Amino acid sequence: SQTIHQWPATLVQPVGSPLSLECTVEGTSNPNLYWYRQAAGRGLQLLFYSVGIGQISSEVPQNLSASRPQDRQFILSSKKLLLSDSGFYLCAWSAGGERNTIYFGEGSWLTVV
Amino acid sequence: AQRVTQPEKLLSVFKGAPVELKCNYSYSGSPELFWYVQYSRQRLQLLLRHISRESIKGFTADLNKGETSFHLKKPFAQEEDSAMYYCALSGTTGANNLFFGTGTRLTVIP
């Protein structure tokens, strides 16, 4: 069966420090991968999605970047964190193609201080 | 542009009472609508999707294109239904992107 894991689960980082959140999927190949963010009092916002290795699409301009170095690995990064980057980050995957069910990871709480 | 609106942030009902979580959407094409649920200390998971036309855990949702709504309903709420519910829309562009509403926290009072 397919599984998705992301880490770390919680992170407290100072302003200006770098960020790296990692996500891996097992049990499937060539998945679509996603990073979502939930800021306090707001809905889930799609940040990035990827349909293949090295293919990243950004939905919103921001201080973050994403990379997909391997088929089942998706990384969310920042060179210098801002206070506004605090939030709950969710990695997700779906089978390739369109309109397939999206499966979410456990989420990562990021607090920028 | 697509938009999903869940007007209620919080909703409380008594056990055994009917429950309806509202969702309205805005999309120029033919969307696919979903309800996702997050129970306490569990990950976000799919509850149902409109094309399946099925009932999951007693919940149903009908897509009303005239009213652009996809309200989630259950005739008799149970305590285990207490959770965060998100309505989501998938458009016809992009790789299966989901656009979420802000969510409704349902509390079922025993």
Side-chain angles (χ1 to χ4, degrees):
Chain A
S1 62
Q2 302 88 2
T3 58
I4 177 170
H5 297 290
Q6 64 177 104
W7 66 93
T10 59
L11 197 60
V12 180
Q13 292 285 101
V15 169
S17 65
L19 170 73
S20 180
L21 297 179
E22 190 165 341
C23 172
T24 59
V25 180
E26 298 294 333
T28 186
S29 59
N30 197 31
N32 293 338
L33 297 173
Y34 312 83
W35 278 109
Y36 283 85
R37 175 173 60 195
Q38 183 177 29
R42 303 180 65 178
L44 290 163
Q45 181 184 39
L46 178 64
L47 301 177
F48 301 95
Y49 68 89
S50 171
V51 299
I53 296 174
Q55 301 179 59
I56 309 295
S57 296
S58 174
E59 286 295 304
V60 294
Q62 59 199 302
N63 183 43
L64 302 168
S65 62
S67 61
R68 185 170 178 174
Q70 300 180 41
D71 181 46
R72 293 169 294 173
Q73 184 184 27
F74 206 26
I75 298 172
L76 184 68
S77 305
S78 173
K79 293 182 178 179
K80 291 185 178 181
L81 283 169
L82 306 172
L83 287 174
S84 57
D85 291 325
S86 294
F88 187 56
Y89 290 83
L90 284 166
C91 182
W93 75 275
S94 69
E98 295 186 353
R99 300 196 169 189
N100 291 309
T101 299
I102 291 183
Y103 300 93
F104 288 86
E106 308 95 325
S108 299
W109 280 103
L110 170 65
T111 304
V112 182
V113 297
Chain B
Q2 51 276 326
R3 176 177 292 177
V4 178
T5 302
Q6 293 179 252
E8 304 146 325
K9 287 188 177 181
L10 303 171
L11 181 64
S12 295
V13 300
F14 286 99
K15 178 182 175 181
V19 60
E20 180 180 66
L21 292 91
K22 291 183 169 53
C23 172
N24 288 90
Y25 68 90
S26 174
Y27 187 70
S28 57
S30 181
E32 184 169 351
L33 276 296
F34 304 79
W35 277 98
Y36 277 77
V37 61
Q38 188 168 29
Y39 301 103
S40 178
R41 291 184 292 277
Q42 295 186 30
R43 65 183 66 191
L44 190 63
Q45 59 187 287
L46 178 68
L47 180 62
L48 54 82
R49 54 197 298 177
H50 91 267
I51 62 169
S52 299
R53 294 187 175 275
E54 56 189 347
S55 174
I56 304 294
K57 299 184 178 182
F59 284 98
T60 59
D62 292 319
L63 179 62
N64 186 323
K65 292 185 178 181
E67 296 182 358
T68 59
S69 68
F70 189 56
H71 303 325
L72 183 68
K73 301 177 183 179
K74 185 170 182 176
F76 307 103
Q78 303 299 316
E79 290 180 63
E80 56 265 29
D81 297 329
S82 296
M84 191 74 174
Y85 291 81
Y86 292 95
C87 183
L89 175 154
S90 177
T92 55
T93 59
N96 195 38
N97 301 336
L98 276 181
F99 297 92
F100 285 86
T102 50
T104 298
R105 181 167 295 283
L106 174 66
T107 301
V108 180
I109 304 167

